[in-house]
Amino acid sequence: MNDVCGKRLPEILTILASKDYLAKMYTALEDDGIASVIKIALDVVRNTEIVPLPDIRRKNSDKAASFIYEARAYLRSRCIDVALEKCNEMLLYAPKNSDHMFSVYYFRAKILCLVKAAIAGLNDIENCLAVMKPQDRDALEDLMKMKKELTSILPFENIKNLALQSSFGTDYFTFNMKRNKDINCAIADIGVVRENGLPKVVATKNIDVGKLVAVERAYVTHRNDMNQLISCYNCLKFNLNLIPCDGCCYALFCDEMCKKLCMDEFHRTECQIMDHIFPERSDARFVLPVRAALKMKQAKSWDELVAASQDLTADKLRNRSDSEIYDSRNTFSILNYNNGKHFVHGKIFNQSFYYAAIVNRLSEIPGYYPQDPKKRLEAMYALGSIMLHLFVTYPFEIEIINAAQNYLTNNVTSEPEPNFGWFSFANKLKHCCEPNLLVVGLNDKIGLVAVKPIKKGTELTICYM
């Protein structure tokens, strides 16, 4: 515990002790738990300089232009993958409807044409035409030449893709099986039993090797930093035609549909505080609690969120239904986790200031919190408590490693790294070094596949490592 919110621990302790916050924090840790800790941390954030101001990233034409020069240099050196990433970095910073939008789509189309990526190249030519302004008309002839060339090789690319494409990703993950009535992502051959009032998932029938037991979309995800410029911020799909978020300089999406889905789930709010979330703590374990809490709020009222934050005790699982615990269609399912953890005071102390700073930053968004002062504070405490609870509760995030790679994308971009996610069902299965289920990834989903015969009554297990 050497660093908190970008400051060294001795410096933090000196600030807290001088303001009489340290004793209050220790008392809250011993007696009252997370809710009281967040209240004190929020007071600290508001009345001290414990949290440094982040570096603010803004859409910037000059910065965007610098990336196109870098992209050209890498292309001359035949570093196709880096040139493409520099184009996408330019997209992140290019202001909406600026001249740079055409420039980056045009240059990216030239790269894709060079490597004979017909489908992706044609998509970017359409992007060029959609944002073209009168001053860009000189490039129209070149675009039409590229379109003609790519159209001529399109049938061959389609044949190659069909030859390479595995039915594993398309058919296996369709999951056309009878499902558990309480856990929609899982087959009917599993169920939940209680031991000392706590739930565990078991096979209710014998399950053969190779059987797909569950397909689950992540409740929230986090991209590996190495994938930021080659994969969709929402669905994690590796894509050659990424498009930017209009507001922040962090998110790229595979298409407008994915962009809208992400905005509707949580990014509409998250977009406005990205600089406070990411500067020093892009690690999944710090970011996922923020994203999950924002997703809950976007789906629920403040009254519902406050009520959920007041029921985070270790005994809550004894009173929850199987659906409330394991089914991600239940917005608060991610909160229902066995959190009987020990030795967590250090983690709570460290992270309380980080989440308090984010909760405080949200107060600068007009209309985000209730107008009534009492309800406003209540809402802030609730949101902070949920973030801190999730951070302390979840011991791991599941690695999502794509089982069915996009061959064309991998020939053009850097080798993708695993992404990360939290899952309402899979995260709550028991860990085992020799599990009976294998986690298989596909974009923002995972499949759980039986890797050994599972007898009726046997607990389902996965490996976290």
Side-chain angles (χ1 to χ4, degrees):
M1 194 172 78
N2 296 318
D3 187 82
V4 182
C5 290
K7 293 180 182 287
R8 303 298 295 175
L9 182 58
E11 185 181 355
I12 293 290
L13 294 176
T14 299
I15 293 172
L16 294 177
S18 67
K19 302 285 186 177
D20 198 33
Y21 285 120
L22 197 56
K24 293 178 182 177
M25 184 66 82
Y26 287 152
T27 300
L29 285 168
E30 288 292 336
D31 300 334
D32 302 319
I34 283 175
S36 295
V37 169
I38 278 292
K39 291 179 183 179
I40 297 168
L42 188 58
D43 196 29
V44 170
V45 166
R46 287 175 151 185
N47 294 293
T48 72
E49 296 181 355
I50 194 171
V51 179
L53 293 175
D55 294 326
I56 304 297
R57 296 188 194 180
R58 292 284 183 263
K59 302 287 186 182
N60 183 291
S61 293
D62 292 337
K63 191 170 182 66
S66 69
F67 291 115
I68 202 69
Y69 297 123
E70 292 184 48
R72 286 175 180 146
Y74 281 112
L75 186 60
R76 286 194 296 270
S77 302
R78 305 298 292 180
C79 297
I80 304 297
D81 55 343
V82 184
L84 187 68
E85 289 179 12
K86 289 300 175 182
C87 285
N88 290 340
E89 203 161 1
M90 180 180 177
L91 271 180
L92 286 174
Y93 285 94
K96 185 179 180 181
N97 298 325
S98 68
D99 296 342
H100 296 297
M101 298 298 290
F102 176 83
S103 297
V104 69
Y105 288 135
Y106 175 67
F107 191 70
R108 198 167 69 179
K110 290 180 77 71
I111 293 174
L112 296 171
C113 187
L114 179 67
V115 297
K116 310 300 183 186
I119 296 172
L122 289 169
N123 286 340
D124 263 351
I125 289 171
E126 292 303 313
N127 285 334
C128 285
L129 298 175
V131 300
M132 179 178 279
K133 296 181 179 180
Q135 64 266 31
D136 302 321
R137 294 291 176 184
D138 291 345
L140 187 58
E141 184 178 349
D142 192 29
L143 285 171
M144 292 301 103
K145 286 181 180 178
M146 286 193 289
K147 184 173 183 178
K148 183 177 180 180
E149 179 183 347
L150 292 172
T151 301
S152 69
I153 63 173
L154 182 60
F156 302 101
E157 183 173 304
N158 287 333
I159 292 171
K160 182 182 73 171
N161 287 345
L162 283 173
L164 291 172
Q165 190 177 51
S166 165
S167 64
F168 181 81
T170 53
D171 298 338
Y172 205 68
F173 279 80
T174 303
F175 200 46
N176 292 323
M177 302 179 187
K178 185 178 180 181
R179 305 197 182 199
N180 184 289
K181 63 181 179 64
D182 294 317
I183 308 171
N184 186 253
C185 69
I187 61 174
D189 296 347
I190 65 102
V192 179
V193 297
R194 303 271 170 166
E195 280 190 357
N196 300 319
L198 296 176
K200 70 175 184 178
V201 182
V202 301
T204 56
K205 295 181 180 179
N206 292 339
I207 297 175
D208 295 330
V209 172
K211 186 161 188 178
L212 185 61
V213 173
V215 172
E216 185 178 13
R217 181 180 179 239
Y219 188 89
V220 283
T221 60
H222 179 67
R223 287 179 310 179
N224 191 304
D225 287 346
M226 300 300 292
N227 298 333
Q228 181 185 6
L229 298 173
I230 59 175
S231 66
C232 177
Y233 188 78
N234 182 56
C235 73
L236 307 182
K237 181 180 179 181
F238 296 96
N239 192 288
L240 297 176
N241 298 117
L242 295 171
I243 61 174
C245 174
D246 297 331
C248 71
C249 301
Y250 293 87
L252 293 164
F253 301 97
C254 59
D255 55 36
E256 290 292 343
M257 185 180 299
C258 239
K259 184 176 176 180
K260 183 180 185 305
L261 178 61
C262 193
M263 296 298 286
D264 289 345
E265 284 197 335
F266 62 85
H267 191 61
R268 184 170 290 110
T269 300
E270 181 196 46
C271 180
Q272 301 177 67
I273 61 169
M274 292 292 272
D275 295 306
H276 289 259
I277 297 173
F278 279 102
E280 296 173 11
R281 298 178 179 272
S282 59
D283 193 295
R285 58 187 169 145
F286 302 121
V287 176
L288 288 173
V290 179
R291 198 161 288 158
L294 295 179
K295 181 176 179 177
M296 288 179 214
K297 173 57 201 76
Q298 205 131 322
K300 297 292 184 178
S301 69
W302 280 117
D303 287 343
E304 290 172 307
L305 198 77
V306 168
S309 75
Q310 294 171 348
D311 189 18
L312 301 176
T313 64
D315 289 332
K316 65 181 179 297
L317 291 186
R318 302 177 190 277
N319 305 315
R320 295 287 187 270
S321 68
D322 297 346
S323 176
E324 288 174 315
I325 296 170
Y326 294 107
D327 197 332
S328 62
R329 294 175 299 178
N330 180 335
T331 301
F332 293 127
S333 59
I334 204 73
L335 291 176
N336 296 319
Y337 190 92
N338 183 8
N339 64 329
K341 305 292 187 297
H342 303 286
F343 309 112
V344 296
H345 285 176
K347 293 176 68 175
I348 293 174
F349 181 91
N350 280 4
Q351 289 305 117
S352 64
F353 303 108
Y354 171 63
Y355 294 124
I358 291 173
V359 166
N360 189 54
R361 170 64 182 87
L362 287 166
S363 66
E364 298 174 22
I365 300 176
Y368 185 71
Y369 288 120
Q371 293 300 307
D372 178 77
K374 183 178 179 181
K375 286 187 173 294
R376 183 183 182 85
L377 274 179
E378 195 176 55
M380 295 173 78
Y381 296 153
L383 200 63
S385 295
I386 286 173
M387 290 178 189
L388 190 53
H389 167 80
L390 289 170
F391 173 79
V392 173
T393 297
Y394 277 80
F396 72 101
E397 53 279 341
I398 291 177
E399 281 194 353
I400 306 173
I401 303 173
N402 263 15
Q405 297 287 4
N406 182 319
Y407 292 88
L408 177 61
T409 299
N410 288 344
N411 286 337
V412 179
T413 66
S414 305
E415 187 68 23
E417 298 290 334
N419 292 308
F420 309 97
W422 275 352
F423 297 81
S424 293
F425 176 66
N427 267 91
K428 295 163 188 172
L429 298 180
K430 185 179 180 180
H431 166 72
C432 180
C433 293
E434 296 182 359
N436 50 34
L437 296 177
L438 174 69
V439 178
V440 180
L442 184 66
N443 300 331
D444 62 345
K445 295 180 181 178
I446 58 169
L448 301 179
V449 184
V451 289
K452 58 178 69 173
I454 306 173
K455 293 183 178 180
K456 179 180 177 180
T458 302
E459 185 171 6
L460 303 186
T461 58
I462 63 172
C463 182
Y464 300 166
M465 309 301 290

CSV table of all heavy atoms in Angstrom, one decimal, residues 339-358:
chain,number,residue,atom,x,y,z
A,339,ASN,N,-19.4,-12.2,-0.3
A,339,ASN,CA,-18.3,-11.2,0.0
A,339,ASN,C,-17.7,-11.4,1.4
A,339,ASN,O,-17.4,-10.4,2.1
A,339,ASN,CB,-18.8,-9.8,-0.2
A,339,ASN,CG,-19.9,-9.4,0.7
A,339,ASN,OD1,-20.7,-10.2,1.1
A,339,ASN,ND2,-19.9,-8.1,1.1
A,340,GLY,N,-17.7,-12.6,1.9
A,340,GLY,CA,-17.2,-12.9,3.2
A,340,GLY,C,-15.6,-12.8,3.2
A,340,GLY,O,-15.0,-13.8,3.6
A,341,LYS,N,-15.1,-11.7,2.8
A,341,LYS,CA,-13.6,-11.6,2.6
A,341,LYS,C,-13.0,-11.1,3.9
A,341,LYS,O,-13.7,-10.4,4.7
A,341,LYS,CB,-13.3,-10.6,1.5
A,341,LYS,CG,-13.9,-10.9,0.2
A,341,LYS,CD,-13.3,-12.2,-0.4
A,341,LYS,CE,-13.8,-12.4,-1.8
A,341,LYS,NZ,-15.2,-12.6,-2.0
A,342,HIS,N,-11.7,-11.4,4.1
A,342,HIS,CA,-11.0,-10.9,5.3
A,342,HIS,C,-9.8,-10.0,4.8
A,342,HIS,O,-9.4,-10.0,3.7
A,342,HIS,CB,-10.4,-12.1,6.0
A,342,HIS,CG,-11.5,-13.1,6.5
A,342,HIS,ND1,-12.4,-12.8,7.5
A,342,HIS,CD2,-11.9,-14.3,6.0
A,342,HIS,CE1,-13.2,-13.9,7.7
A,342,HIS,NE2,-12.9,-14.8,6.8
A,343,PHE,N,-9.3,-9.3,5.8
A,343,PHE,CA,-8.1,-8.4,5.5
A,343,PHE,C,-8.4,-7.4,4.4
A,343,PHE,O,-7.6,-7.3,3.4
A,343,PHE,CB,-6.9,-9.3,5.3
A,343,PHE,CG,-6.7,-10.3,6.3
A,343,PHE,CD1,-6.8,-11.7,6.0
A,343,PHE,CD2,-6.4,-10.0,7.6
A,343,PHE,CE1,-6.6,-12.6,6.9
A,343,PHE,CE2,-6.2,-11.0,8.6
A,343,PHE,CZ,-6.3,-12.3,8.3
A,344,VAL,N,-9.5,-6.8,4.4
A,344,VAL,CA,-9.8,-5.9,3.3
A,344,VAL,C,-9.7,-4.4,3.6
A,344,VAL,O,-9.9,-3.5,2.8
A,344,VAL,CB,-11.3,-6.1,2.8
A,344,VAL,CG1,-11.4,-7.5,2.2
A,344,VAL,CG2,-12.3,-5.9,3.9
A,345,HIS,N,-9.3,-4.1,4.9
A,345,HIS,CA,-9.3,-2.7,5.3
A,345,HIS,C,-8.3,-1.8,4.4
A,345,HIS,O,-8.6,-0.7,4.1
A,345,HIS,CB,-8.9,-2.6,6.8
A,345,HIS,CG,-10.1,-2.9,7.7
A,345,HIS,ND1,-10.0,-3.0,9.0
A,345,HIS,CD2,-11.4,-3.3,7.4
A,345,HIS,CE1,-11.1,-3.4,9.6
A,345,HIS,NE2,-12.0,-3.5,8.6
A,346,GLY,N,-7.2,-2.4,4.1
A,346,GLY,CA,-6.2,-1.7,3.3
A,346,GLY,C,-6.8,-1.3,1.9
A,346,GLY,O,-6.6,-0.2,1.4
A,347,LYS,N,-7.4,-2.3,1.3
A,347,LYS,CA,-8.0,-2.1,0.0
A,347,LYS,C,-9.1,-1.0,0.0
A,347,LYS,O,-9.2,-0.2,-0.8
A,347,LYS,CB,-8.6,-3.4,-0.6
A,347,LYS,CG,-7.6,-4.5,-0.9
A,347,LYS,CD,-8.2,-5.8,-1.3
A,347,LYS,CE,-8.9,-5.6,-2.7
A,347,LYS,NZ,-9.5,-6.9,-3.2
A,348,ILE,N,-10.0,-1.1,1.1
A,348,ILE,CA,-11.1,-0.1,1.2
A,348,ILE,C,-10.5,1.3,1.4
A,348,ILE,O,-10.9,2.2,0.8
A,348,ILE,CB,-12.0,-0.5,2.4
A,348,ILE,CG1,-12.7,-1.8,2.1
A,348,ILE,CG2,-12.9,0.6,2.7
A,348,ILE,CD1,-13.5,-2.3,3.3
A,349,PHE,N,-9.5,1.4,2.3
A,349,PHE,CA,-8.9,2.7,2.6
A,349,PHE,C,-8.3,3.3,1.3
A,349,PHE,O,-8.6,4.4,0.9
A,349,PHE,CB,-7.7,2.5,3.6
A,349,PHE,CG,-7.0,3.8,4.0
A,349,PHE,CD1,-7.5,4.6,5.0
A,349,PHE,CD2,-5.9,4.2,3.3
A,349,PHE,CE1,-6.9,5.7,5.4
A,349,PHE,CE2,-5.3,5.4,3.6
A,349,PHE,CZ,-5.7,6.2,4.6
A,350,ASN,N,-7.5,2.5,0.5
A,350,ASN,CA,-6.9,3.0,-0.7
A,350,ASN,C,-7.9,3.5,-1.7
A,350,ASN,O,-7.8,4.6,-2.2
A,350,ASN,CB,-6.0,1.9,-1.3
A,350,ASN,CG,-4.6,1.8,-0.6
A,350,ASN,OD1,-4.4,2.5,0.4
A,350,ASN,ND2,-3.8,1.0,-1.1
A,351,GLN,N,-8.9,2.6,-2.0
A,351,GLN,CA,-9.7,2.9,-3.1
A,351,GLN,C,-10.9,3.8,-2.8
A,351,GLN,O,-11.5,4.4,-3.7
A,351,GLN,CB,-10.3,1.6,-3.6
A,351,GLN,CG,-9.3,0.7,-4.4
A,351,GLN,CD,-8.6,1.4,-5.5
A,351,GLN,OE1,-7.4,1.7,-5.4
A,351,GLN,NE2,-9.4,1.9,-6.5
A,352,SER,N,-11.1,4.1,-1.5
A,352,SER,CA,-12.3,4.9,-1.2
A,352,SER,C,-12.1,6.3,-1.8
A,352,SER,O,-13.1,6.9,-2.2
A,352,SER,CB,-12.4,5.0,0.4
A,352,SER,OG,-11.3,5.6,1.0
A,353,PHE,N,-10.9,6.8,-1.8
A,353,PHE,CA,-10.6,8.2,-2.3
A,353,PHE,C,-10.8,8.2,-3.8
A,353,PHE,O,-11.3,9.2,-4.4
A,353,PHE,CB,-9.2,8.7,-1.9
A,353,PHE,CG,-9.0,8.6,-0.4
A,353,PHE,CD1,-8.2,7.7,0.2
A,353,PHE,CD2,-9.7,9.5,0.4
A,353,PHE,CE1,-8.0,7.6,1.6
A,353,PHE,CE2,-9.5,9.5,1.8
A,353,PHE,CZ,-8.7,8.5,2.4
A,354,TYR,N,-10.4,7.2,-4.5
A,354,TYR,CA,-10.5,7.1,-5.9
A,354,TYR,C,-12.0,7.1,-6.3
A,354,TYR,O,-12.4,7.9,-7.2
A,354,TYR,CB,-9.8,5.8,-6.5
A,354,TYR,CG,-10.1,5.5,-7.9
A,354,TYR,CD1,-9.6,6.4,-8.9
A,354,TYR,CD2,-10.7,4.4,-8.3
A,354,TYR,CE1,-9.8,6.1,-10.2
A,354,TYR,CE2,-10.9,4.0,-9.6
A,354,TYR,CZ,-10.5,4.9,-10.6
A,354,TYR,OH,-10.7,4.6,-11.9
A,355,TYR,N,-12.8,6.3,-5.7
A,355,TYR,CA,-14.2,6.3,-6.1
A,355,TYR,C,-15.0,7.5,-5.5
A,355,TYR,O,-15.9,8.0,-6.2
A,355,TYR,CB,-14.9,5.0,-5.5
A,355,TYR,CG,-14.3,3.7,-6.2
A,355,TYR,CD1,-13.7,2.7,-5.5
A,355,TYR,CD2,-14.3,3.6,-7.6
A,355,TYR,CE1,-13.2,1.6,-6.1
A,355,TYR,CE2,-13.8,2.5,-8.2
A,355,TYR,CZ,-13.2,1.5,-7.5
A,355,TYR,OH,-12.7,0.4,-8.1
A,356,ALA,N,-14.5,8.0,-4.4
A,356,ALA,CA,-15.1,9.3,-3.9
A,356,ALA,C,-14.9,10.4,-4.9
A,356,ALA,O,-15.7,11.3,-5.2
A,356,ALA,CB,-14.6,9.6,-2.6
A,357,ALA,N,-13.7,10.4,-5.5
A,357,ALA,CA,-13.3,11.5,-6.5
A,357,ALA,C,-14.2,11.4,-7.7
A,357,ALA,O,-14.7,12.4,-8.3
A,357,ALA,CB,-11.9,11.4,-6.9
A,358,ILE,N,-14.5,10.1,-8.2
A,358,ILE,CA,-15.3,9.9,-9.3
A,358,ILE,C,-16.8,10.4,-9.0
A,358,ILE,O,-17.4,11.0,-9.8
A,358,ILE,CB,-15.3,8.5,-9.8
A,358,ILE,CG1,-13.9,8.2,-10.4
A,358,ILE,CG2,-16.4,8.2,-10.8
A,358,ILE,CD1,-13.7,6.8,-10.7
